[in-house]
Amino acid sequence: MLTREMLKKRVPIIAGIVLVLAAGAYFAFHGAGNEPIFRTDKVIRGSINQTVTASGTVNAVTTVLVGTQVSGTIKSLYVDFNSPVKKGQLLALIDPATFEAQADQARANLGAARANLEKAAAAELDAKRTFERNRTLFARNLIARSDLDTAETNYSSAVAQVAAARAQVEQQKASLKTAEINLKYTRILSPVDGIVISRNVDVGQTVAASFQTPTLFNIAQDLTRMQIDTSVAEADIGKIQVKQPVDFTVDAYSENTFKGTVSEIRNAPITVQNVVTYDVVVKVDNSDLRLKPGMTANVSIVTARMADALKISNLALRFRMPAEKSGSGAAAAPSAPPPDQKGTSIWVLENKTPKRVPIRTGISDGTYTEVVSGDLKEGQEVIIDSLAKGKQNSSPSGPNPRFFR
C-alpha cells in the first residue's frame, strides 16, 4: 500500500504529466492560433442542366374573338361560358326586324327597276320602228331630212334609257344583296370548333358596330394544345434555340413540373422602361386540360445539358486563399499565380495542404459547374471557404461541407 509520503512524492509527477499532455493536445489541435480552417466539398459526377429562366402566360394556341358587323339589340343567346361549339353553330341572334325591313325595301326597289327597264325597252322598240319607217320615207323623198334626224335622235335616246334602266337594276340588286348580308350578320355564328372562354353580352344589350367591332365571344380553338408567351431578356436570347426542352411550373400545381418545347423566337423587341425583352413561344401538351388560359408560368429553358459531367460547387470557383500574416502582424498580399496557372483555378486539399489547380469550366446550373479539363478526380476535396479560428462562417454554406485545418 502507498503511504502518505509516497503519495506526496507522486502527486507533482502526475500533475506534470497531465500538464504536458494538455499542452500537447492544445498545440496539436489549436497550433499557434493562426492556422486557417477550411470548408470543403467533394467533386461529384452527375447530370447538369444550364437554363434560362423567364416568366410568361399560358394561352390557347388559337383564340378567336367573335364580334358583329351590324348594330342592334341582342335578341337571343344560345351558348354560355365553357360551352363547346362547332364551326357554323349559332351563338347569338341580333334582332333582325330592322334588317328584314331593309331587305324587303331593297327587293321592292329591284322590282321597280326591272319594270322601268321593261318600259325603257318598249320605248326603245317604238323609237327604232319610227326611225326605220322615216328612213324608208326619206329615201322616197316623202319626208324632210329634219324628220329623219328627229327619229334617229329619239331612237338613240331610247337606247340610252334602256342602258340606264339596266344599270339601275344592277344597282338595286347590289342594294338587295347588301341588305341580305346585313340580315345574315344578325346571326352570330362560330367561325371555328372550340370552347367559349368568355361571353361579353347579355340578352337585351345593344351593340354598336359604328366605329369599332364589339367583341361578343372569345373562343379557344383547342385547349388540348397550349402555348406560353415568355419574356426573355436580351442578355439570354442568344442562348435560346427552337426545339429546346422547357420545364415550367404554375401556381395552381406548384408541386408538378410540366414539359414543353421552344417553338418560336420572335424578332420584335419589347421595350419597357429601357429594358429590352423578346417573346419566346413555348408549345405545351395539355391533354389532361389542367392548364387554363391566363395562368402564370415560371419557365426554365434548358439551353445545354450534360448527362454525366464532372462538376464542382460554384463556391469553389469563388473561393480565394486568404493572405498570409507577415511578421509585423499586417496582412501580406497573396502571391501572384505562376504564368501557367492564370485563368480559372480552384484550391484542393492534398494531405491537409491547400494546392492550386487550374481548370477549364463548361456549363453551369447556378449551383454546380462542369469541369471540362483539369487535374481533378471524382471524390476529391475542393476548398469552398476559409474560416477564421474561433469564428463561425458567415458565407453561404455549400452541400455537405467538411472542415479541415
Side-chain angles (χ1 to χ4, degrees):
M1 294 184 62
L2 298 176
T3 62
R4 185 182 298 273
E5 294 180 356
M6 295 174 64
L7 288 176
K8 288 181 180 181
K9 292 180 180 180
R10 292 186 179 183
V11 166
I13 298 174
I14 296 174
I17 295 174
V18 171
L19 289 176
V20 170
L21 292 176
Y26 178 82
F27 286 104
F29 285 94
H30 295 273
N34 57 0
E35 296 180 359
I37 303 176
F38 297 113
R39 296 176 59 245
T40 65
D41 189 26
K42 285 187 176 182
V43 179
I44 61 176
R45 186 175 292 277
S47 61
I48 184 170
N49 297 330
Q50 180 174 280
T51 61
V52 172
T53 59
S55 62
T57 304
V58 179
N59 296 311
V61 175
T62 303
T63 302
V64 181
L65 302 179
V66 181
T68 175
Q69 294 187 4
V70 297
S71 302
T73 303
I74 301 297
K75 184 178 182 180
S76 303
L77 288 175
Y78 300 99
V79 295
D80 205 344
F81 292 91
N82 299 336
S83 296
V85 295
K86 297 292 184 180
K87 184 177 181 179
Q89 179 178 339
L90 182 62
L91 305 179
L93 179 65
I94 296 177
D95 190 358
T98 302
F99 301 96
E100 289 175 348
Q102 293 175 357
D104 292 340
Q105 182 179 358
R107 196 173 292 110
N109 292 337
L110 177 60
R114 286 173 174 169
N116 289 335
L117 175 60
E118 293 177 359
K119 180 180 179 181
E124 178 193 10
L125 180 61
D126 181 65
K128 181 179 180 181
R129 289 172 180 173
T130 302
F131 173 62
E132 294 292 340
R133 186 184 307 113
N134 287 349
R135 186 165 57 183
T136 302
L137 293 175
F138 177 76
R140 297 177 183 180
N141 292 324
L142 297 177
I143 61 174
R145 177 72 182 184
S146 60
D147 293 336
L148 178 62
D149 292 341
T150 301
E152 184 179 4
T153 302
N154 291 337
Y155 174 64
S156 299
S157 178
V159 172
Q161 288 294 331
V162 170
R166 188 175 289 110
Q168 187 69 23
V169 169
E170 297 299 325
Q171 182 179 4
Q172 293 303 323
K173 283 183 179 179
S175 298
L176 176 60
K177 187 176 181 179
T178 300
E180 289 176 344
I181 290 176
N182 289 335
L183 177 60
K184 180 181 178 181
Y185 283 155
T186 60
R187 295 169 54 85
I188 309 300
L189 305 179
S190 174
V192 294
D193 297 342
I195 297 177
V196 178
I197 300 299
S198 64
R199 172 179 60 82
N200 302 324
V201 291
D202 293 306
V203 174
Q205 182 176 343
T206 300
V207 292
S210 301
F211 302 101
Q212 185 177 2
T213 302
T215 299
L216 307 183
F217 302 95
N218 190 346
I219 299 178
Q221 186 172 1
D222 186 6
L223 290 182
T224 61
R225 295 182 297 112
M226 306 287 281
Q227 72 179 30
I228 304 175
D229 296 307
T230 65
S231 297
V232 177
E234 60 176 328
D236 298 324
I237 196 64
K239 305 174 185 176
I240 309 299
Q241 296 180 3
V242 176
K243 296 185 179 181
Q244 285 179 336
V246 175
D247 299 331
F248 69 95
T249 60
V250 294
D251 293 339
Y253 310 101
S254 57
E255 69 282 359
N256 295 335
T257 300
F258 298 89
K259 304 292 184 179
T261 305
V262 175
S263 65
E264 185 180 359
I265 304 172
R266 295 179 178 170
N267 294 324
I270 303 172
T271 305
V272 178
Q273 295 182 352
N274 295 329
V275 177
V276 180
T277 59
Y278 293 87
D279 187 10
V280 175
V281 180
V282 178
K283 291 295 179 64
V284 179
D285 179 37
N286 189 35
S287 302
D288 52 5
L289 298 179
R290 289 196 297 172
L291 298 176
K292 301 183 183 300
M295 285 185 170
T296 300
N298 300 313
V299 178
S300 295
I301 304 173
V302 181
T303 58
R305 174 175 289 173
M306 293 296 295
D308 188 24
L310 192 68
K311 57 184 182 178
I312 59 174
S313 172
N314 286 358
L315 296 176
L317 297 174
R318 294 193 291 266
F319 172 75
R320 296 294 179 268
M321 183 62 64
E324 298 179 356
K325 295 291 185 178
S326 64
S328 60
S335 59
D340 59 343
Q341 292 185 351
K342 290 184 178 179
T344 304
S345 61
I346 60 173
W347 291 85
V348 300
L349 277 179
E350 288 189 357
N351 299 323
K352 298 184 180 181
T353 301
K355 176 184 177 182
R356 186 187 185 98
V357 177
I359 61 172
R360 187 163 63 90
T361 59
I363 64 175
S364 175
D365 62 1
T367 303
Y368 287 95
T369 297
E370 176 194 11
V371 178
V372 177
S373 64
D375 188 15
L376 284 181
K377 298 180 181 180
E378 183 179 358
Q380 194 170 1
E381 300 284 348
V382 294
I383 301 175
I384 62 174
D385 198 5
S386 174
L387 300 179
K389 182 173 182 279
K391 296 183 181 180
Q392 294 185 354
N393 180 26
S394 59
S395 61
S397 60
N400 301 325
R402 303 189 176 210
F403 296 86
F404 291 90
R405 280 193 187 83

